[in-house]
Amino acid sequence: PILIGQDVSLFNGLLQYLHQQGYADSAFVEAHTQGLDTALKSSQAETDIQDVAVKTGISLEKLQLFFEKFAQTEKVMTLFSMGVNQSSRGVDKANSIINCHLLTGKIGKLGAAPFSMTGQPNAMGGREVGGLANMLAAHMDLDNQQHQQLVQSFWNSPSIAKHVGLKAVDLFEAVESGRIKAIWIMATNPVVSLPNADQVKRALNSCEFVVVSDICKDTDTTQFADVLLPALGWGEKDGTVTNSERRISRQRAFLDPPEQAKADWWAVAQVAKKLGFTGFDFANSHEIFKEHALLSAYQNAEINARSNAQSFRYFNLQGLTDLSLDEYDQLAPIQWPVIMRNQAEHAFAQLFSQGQFSHADGKAKFIATMAIDPVHQSNTEYPLILNTGRIRDQWHTMTRTGLSANLSTHKAEPFCEIHPNDALKYGLKEGELVEIKSAWGNCVLRTVLSDNIRRGQIFAPIHWNDQFASDARIGKVVNPVVDAISGEPEFKHTPVLIQPFYTQWQGVFYVREGYEHIVKNSIENTVWWTKIQTAKAVRYELADRRRFTQTTQHLKQLLPFEDESFEWLNLEDQTAHISHSVVLKEGRLIASLYIAPKALLPDRDWVASLFKRDRLSAMHRKALLAGQAMSMGNSEGPLVCSCFKVGKNRIIQTIKENNINHEKQVTACLKAGGNCGSCLPEIRGLIKACQAELTQ
Ligand SMILES: Nc1nc2c(c(=O)[nH]1)N[C@H]1C(S)=C(S)[C@@H](COP(=O)(O)OP(=O)(O)OC[C@H]3O[C@@H](n4cnc5c(=O)[nH]c(N)nc54)[C@H](O)[C@@H]3O)O[C@H]1N2
Ligand SMILES: Nc1nc2c(c(=O)[nH]1)N[C@H]1C(S)=C(S)[C@@H](COP(=O)(O)OP(=O)(O)OC[C@H]3O[C@@H](n4cnc5c(=O)[nH]c(N)nc54)[C@H](O)[C@@H]3O)O[C@H]1N2
Ligand SMILES: [Mo]
C-alpha cells in the first residue's frame, strides 16, 4: 500500500539496500552496464530504510520483507503499469525499477525482467508505427539524425520533422490558444480521458476545424466535430496487432461492416491523396504491412556493417517483407525481430540475454533518479488526494462496454470510494451523493465506503462521462501536470475537497428501448442522473433539488405518453414523499418512475426483469405500482461473476448456508470464479465479510 507518487523512494531504497547488503551482481554490472555511480548518488536520500518506510507509507516490516525477497529470489519480474507511469515522475519511477534489475542482473533472463505492462490491446503496435508525437515510424527516434535520414530517404520525402511534436496535454493548450487551427481526432475520446478535461472542451469549441473519426455517433468528443467520419471497429476491420511480448498477430474481420463505415487507414489515405501526396494507393492492409516491414529493415545491413553491429535496430521485420497476400492472411502469431522468414520460433524470445543492450556501446545505462513528490500537494482547502483508475467491467469511456446490460450490472453507477473514517469526518454516508472539487473542476458521484482505501485518499473510476451521467466526467477534476519526458499526466494524484451533495428527492426511472428518445431530454434535465443499460430498458437513477410537489407535476408533464394507447397507473403520497407512475401499452410495460425515500425504492433488477415480459398479470401490475416484488424471490443482486452470471446475493447465501471459507468452494457450488477468475478477489472479500459477520 504505497503512498501515491512514492515509487522512486521505494526503488531507490531497494537499490541502496541491495548495494549495502552485498546483493549486487558485480560481474554483470561491470561487463554490461554503465553509470551505477550516478544512480547510487541520486538515491543517497534513501540509504536509511526507516526513512523509506516513512516516505512510502509502507511499514518497516513489510519493506524489509520485500527488499529481502527481491534480493534472495533469483528470478524476479517487476510488472508495472499506470500506477507507475501516470505521474509527474513516471519516467524516473520506471528507471528506478530498471536500476534495481540491472544491479542484480535480473534482466534478459527467462522469468527475470522489469516488465512495463502496456494497457491498450495494441499499444505496442501503435509504437511500432510511430503513433506518438515524439517518435518516428518503425520504433525510430525523432531526435536521432540517422533515424530522420533513414525515414526520409525510405519515403523519398521532401522534408521530415526534426523536432518532437506536441503531446496530448500541450496539444490541446495549443489548440485553445489558436496556434493549432485544425485537428483530426481518431480512435480516442479526449473530452473524457484527458486531465483538466473542460480545457479540452474549450479548445475544441474554439478550434476552426475539428474532424473526429469514431465508431460511435454520440460521444463527448463527437459533439464538437465539424466533420464526423464513421470508422470500422474491432471485429469489422483487419490488420495486425502486437502484444507486450512483441508478438504480432493477424486480426481478421468477422463482422460485416456497417454501411458507410471505413477503416481509419482508408480515410487517412484518401485525405493524403486529395492533398496531392503520392504513395498512398494502398489497396488493403497487406500492402501497408509490407511497406511497414520494409521500413523496419531499411538499410539495416549497411548500418550494421558501418557501426560494428552494435547499434542495430531490434524492431526488424526483414523476414516478413515479401509476404504474399495469401501468406499474410495465413500469418500465425510471430515475435519480432523477424530476421528470416523461417527463423526458429524461439530465436528471439529473449532479448538482452547476452547482456547486449541497444545503446551504441552495447551497455545498459543506470539512470540517476531523484525522489520528488507529486507536483500538487494537499492543503487546507483541498485536503484529500484523488486517485483515478479502472473497474473490472467497463472499458475506458464506455462507448462499447456501456452498451452491455451484463457488464453494467456489476457497478451500475459512477462512484467514489472513501475510507469510512474520512466519510464520517466529511459528513458522508454510504450511497449518498458526494461532490468532488479541485482547482480544475468538479463531479458528483455516489459514495462507497471502503477500508481498502487509505485515509486521506479517494478513488474514482475514469469511465463515466456526459453520455452516461450528468456529472461524472472525472477528467474535469484531474490536474494537468505531466512528466517532463514522457508527457504522461499525473492522473493518480490531484488535491480535492469533498462535500455532501444535497438533493430534495431521489428516484429511479425505466423506459423501454425504442421509447428512450422521447424522454431523454426531460429526464436528463434533473440535476443529477446516471443512465444504465438493462436487457430491455434503459434505467436512470435520478436526484433533484426541486421540491417534491413541483417535481411530480413537472415530470408527469414531461413524460409524453399522452395518447390514448398508453395506460397509466399512479400512486402518490404527498406526505411520505412517494410518487409511483407506471406506463403500459397493450399490456406491456413501457416506463416506470419511482420517487421515494431511498429505502422505499424498488429492487432494480426486479423492475428491469419485468420489461422482458410481453404481458403483465394483474399481480404484476399491482406489485409494479407498489414498487414491491410480490415475493422477494431470488434476487441475484449485483453481478459478481460475469462469466456464469452469478450475483452477489446468491454468493452470500451460498457462503452462509455452506459455511464456506475458501473461494474454491464457491466455485464448486456455483461455478462463479471458475472461468476468467477476475471476480475471485470480490468473492474472497465476500467470504471475509461473512466470516466477520459470524464472529461479531
Ligand atoms: N477492465 C478494464 N481493463 C483495462 C482497461 C479498462 O479500461 N478496463 N484499460 C486498459 C488500459 S489502456 C490500461 S493503461 C491498463 C491500466 O491498468 P492498471 O495500471 O493496472 O490500472 P489503473 O486502474 O489505472 O491503476 C493502477 C493502480 O495503480 C495504483 N496507484 C495509483 N497511484 C500509484 C502510485 O503512485 N504508485 C503505485 N505503485 N501505484 C499507484 C492505483 O491505486 C491502481 O490500483 O488497463 C487496461 N485494462
Ligand atoms: N483520470 C484518468 N484519465 C485517464 C486514465 C486514468 O487512469 N485516469 N488513463 C489513461 C489511459 S492509460 C488511456 S489508454 C486513456 C483511454 O482513453 P481514450 O483512448 O480516449 O478512451 P477510449 O474509450 O478507448 O476511446 C476510444 C474511442 O475510439 C472509438 N473507437 C473504437 N475503435 C475505433 C476504431 O477502430 N477507429 C476509430 N476511429 N475509433 C474507434 C471509441 O468509440 C472511443 O470513442 O485514458 C487515459 N485517461
Ligand atoms: Mo492505457
Side-chain angles (χ1 to χ4, degrees):
I2 190 169
L3 278 171
I4 296 175
Q6 294 304 332
D7 301 80
V8 177
S9 304
L10 176 66
F11 287 96
N12 275 357
L14 176 60
L15 189 79
Q16 285 292 339
Y17 180 89
L18 296 166
H19 174 70
Q20 289 163 8
Q21 308 288 323
Y23 286 116
D25 180 343
S26 308
F28 180 86
V29 171
E30 182 61 30
H32 302 298
T33 70
Q34 52 133 314
L36 174 59
D37 287 351
T38 60
L40 288 175
K41 211 160 139 206
S42 69
S43 53
Q44 281 300 313
E46 287 80 27
T47 45
D48 183 352
I49 190 167
Q50 305 256 15
D51 293 345
V52 178
V54 173
K55 274 180 100 174
T56 56
I58 300 172
S59 72
L60 192 59
E61 304 78 68
K62 271 194 183 159
L63 211 51
Q64 255 155 351
L65 188 69
F66 167 53
F67 284 4
E68 232 358 77
K69 282 215 162 173
F70 187 103
Q72 301 275 355
T73 311
E74 189 199 336
K75 291 181 171 181
V76 178
M77 304 270 300
T78 305
L79 294 102
F80 55 99
S81 189
M82 294 310 144
V84 161
N85 300 339
Q86 290 173 344
S87 153
S88 53
R89 319 303 308 177
V91 172
D92 279 348
K93 285 181 176 189
N95 283 326
S96 69
I97 292 171
I98 296 169
N99 286 344
C100 295
H101 282 265
L102 287 175
L103 184 68
T104 48
K106 297 183 203 294
I107 190 166
K109 295 175 187 155
L110 206 61
F115 187 176
S116 165
M117 309 256 286
T118 58
Q120 303 260 17
N122 189 34
M124 291 287 279
R127 276 157 219 176
E128 285 159 17
V129 297
L132 284 171
N134 56 346
M135 47 181 11
L136 290 170
H139 260 299
M140 284 187 271
D141 297 327
L142 228 163
D143 43 17
N144 176 325
Q145 266 198 2
Q146 189 186 42
H147 287 177
Q148 288 172 5
Q149 280 160 13
L150 268 176
V151 175
Q152 184 171 8
S153 84
F154 175 78
W155 271 322
N156 194 18
S157 165
S159 61
I160 181 119
K162 296 239 178 340
H163 305 287
V164 166
L166 293 171
K167 304 188 186 97
V169 172
D170 296 340
L171 177 81
F172 282 95
E173 272 161 19
V175 172
E176 191 180 13
S177 69
R179 278 180 292 145
I180 288 177
K181 295 185 168 38
I183 187 168
W184 187 353
I185 298 168
M186 185 178 278
T188 175
N189 194 355
V191 172
V192 185
S193 58
L194 283 185
N196 194 10
D198 274 350
Q199 189 277 330
V200 177
K201 267 193 171 179
R202 288 197 303 274
L204 290 178
N205 238 336
S206 64
C207 188
E208 282 176 30
F209 186 52
V210 179
V211 184
V212 180
S213 295
D214 207 290
I215 59 169
C216 300
K217 182 163 156 280
D218 293 316
T219 75
D220 291 7
T221 302
T222 59
Q223 316 295 312
F224 295 90
D226 296 305
V227 174
L228 180 57
L229 299 174
L232 292 180
W234 183 83
E236 295 162 349
K237 59 184 175 182
D238 85 331
T240 62
V241 293
T242 308
N243 73 8
S244 288
E245 55 160 18
R246 294 173 276 109
R247 192 175 297 281
I248 300 174
S249 298
R250 254 312 252 127
Q251 180 181 314
R252 301 169 183 90
F254 56 86
L255 291 172
D256 291 332
E259 215 172 301
Q260 292 182 317
K262 292 282 186 190
D264 290 307
W265 69 258
W266 183 88
V268 174
Q270 298 307 303
V271 171
K273 283 200 267 189
K274 281 271 176 349
L275 288 171
F277 296 108
T278 56
F280 287 89
D281 291 312
F282 302 110
N284 50 39
S285 66
H286 167 239
E287 289 182 6
I288 299 174
F289 184 81
K290 273 181 69 166
E291 186 162 313
H292 171 57
L294 280 167
L295 173 60
S296 77
Y298 184 58
Q299 290 190 358
N300 272 349
E302 293 88 323
I303 293 166
N304 290 347
R306 258 185 278 143
S307 60
N308 304 328
Q310 296 286 8
S311 65
F312 71 94
R313 287 144 54 201
Y314 271 114
F315 181 68
N316 185 345
L317 305 181
Q318 173 73 53
L320 302 175
T321 50
D322 58 354
L323 285 184
S324 68
L325 177 58
D326 199 42
E327 288 166 327
Y328 173 72
D329 276 338
Q330 301 305 321
L331 188 69
I334 185 164
Q335 228 176 352
W336 58 258
V338 189
I339 310 295
M340 290 175 313
R341 173 75 72 83
N342 295 317
Q343 76 191 22
E345 161 67 15
H346 296 297
F348 296 100
Q350 206 63 46
L351 296 188
F352 315 132
S353 58
Q354 310 299 318
Q356 202 68 356
F357 296 88
S358 44
H359 287 295
D361 60 1
K363 289 189 171 184
K365 282 187 194 160
F366 283 94
I367 308 276
T369 52
M370 291 273 285
I372 297 171
D373 288 334
V375 173
H376 294 292
Q377 292 300 312
S378 56
N379 52 43
T380 44
E381 194 181 354
Y382 300 111
L384 297 167
I385 294 302
L386 168 69
N387 177 8
T388 59
R390 286 139 182 89
I391 62 168
R392 192 191 77 191
D393 285 4
Q394 294 297 345
W395 182 269
H396 294 169
T397 68
M398 295 170 70
T399 60
R400 290 156 288 173
T401 45
L403 310 178
S404 157
N406 269 336
L407 295 177
S408 302
T409 47
H410 182 233
K411 303 232 157 120
E413 291 180 274
F415 63 91
C416 164
E417 267 180 352
I418 181 169
H419 191 278
N421 294 358
D422 280 339
L424 201 61
K425 181 168 165 192
Y426 295 99
L428 295 164
K429 292 203 185 101
E430 171 85 24
E432 287 181 352
L433 296 179
V434 53
E435 179 168 28
I436 300 165
K437 254 195 185 137
S438 74
W440 294 270
N442 65 320
C443 261
V444 182
L445 309 172
R446 192 74 77 183
T447 307
V448 172
L449 305 191
S450 164
D451 37 24
N452 284 329
I453 192 148
R454 195 190 275 270
R455 285 206 64 182
Q457 297 179 7
I458 58 171
F459 173 86
I462 60 174
H463 309 290
W464 277 269
N465 53 69
D466 297 355
Q467 308 304 309
F468 292 91
S470 54
D471 227 350
R473 196 159 42 88
I474 199 71
K476 287 194 283 183
V477 184
V478 175
N479 56 197
V481 173
V482 298
D483 181 283
I485 298 173
S486 67
E488 183 77 60
E490 190 141 74
F491 280 128
K492 309 294 191 216
H493 193 281
T494 303
V496 293
L497 67 83
I498 59 172
Q499 55 197 25
F501 183 81
Y502 293 108
T503 56
Q504 288 281 344
W505 58 263
Q506 52 190 322
V508 57
F509 176 73
Y510 292 82
V511 61
R512 180 177 288 281
E513 266 177 359
Y515 292 85
E516 190 202 339
H517 61 281
I518 305 180
V519 294
K520 189 172 167 17
N521 283 342
S522 53
I523 289 297
E524 294 183 4
N525 251 332
T526 46
V527 87
W528 189 89
W529 57 267
T530 183
K531 180 174 152 185
I532 302 135
Q533 186 66 48
T534 75
K536 294 282 179 214
V538 174
R539 165 181 147 208
Y540 282 92
E541 293 290 328
L542 303 169
D544 206 39
R545 284 186 159 160
R546 273 173 291 213
R547 283 214 310 278
F548 174 79
T549 41
Q550 281 175 346
T551 299
T552 48
Q553 290 310 321
H554 181 70
L555 274 178
K556 268 175 209 155
Q557 281 162 16
L558 287 176
L559 299 183
F561 299 105
E562 283 145 20
D563 102 46
E564 285 180 0
S565 62
F566 293 105
E567 186 188 348
W568 282 73
L569 314 176
N570 292 316
L571 177 154
E572 190 155 301
D573 180 341
Q574 291 273 348
T575 314
H577 282 195
I578 290 175
S579 168
H580 295 179
S581 302
V582 179
V583 181
L584 303 136
K585 189 182 179 115
E586 289 154 11
R588 278 168 100 211
L589 184 52
I590 301 296
S592 61
L593 170 67
Y594 299 90
I595 296 176
K598 192 164 171 246
L600 298 179
L601 286 171
D603 181 276
R604 308 298 196 272
D605 297 333
W606 167 69
V607 180
S609 73
L610 294 177
F611 280 86
K612 293 183 186 163
R613 293 178 180 265
D614 274 338
R615 285 210 84 77
L616 294 178
S617 67
M619 286 300 272
H620 279 131
R621 294 160 64 109
K622 186 175 158 196
L624 255 178
L625 185 59
Q628 181 103 53
M630 287 163 293
S631 70
M632 267 326 282
N634 289 336
S635 164
E636 287 274 341
L639 205 59
V640 173
C641 172
S642 324
C643 299
F644 294 111
K645 312 265 173 303
V646 189
K648 187 173 166 183
N649 296 351
R650 192 139 60 100
I651 294 176
I652 292 177
Q653 197 190 348
T654 308
I655 294 172
K656 286 184 175 164
E657 277 171 15
N658 301 290
N659 215 352
I660 283 177
N661 55 27
H662 196 278
E663 66 210 46
K664 286 214 168 101
Q665 295 165 280
V666 173
T667 306
C669 294
L670 299 171
K671 287 191 172 169
N675 187 39
C676 80
S678 64
C679 62
L680 289 175
E682 206 168 332
I683 293 178
R684 281 196 286 277
L686 293 177
I687 295 174
K688 222 168 107 187
C690 291
Q691 284 169 342
E693 217 176 278
L694 271 180
T695 54
Q696 258 170 20

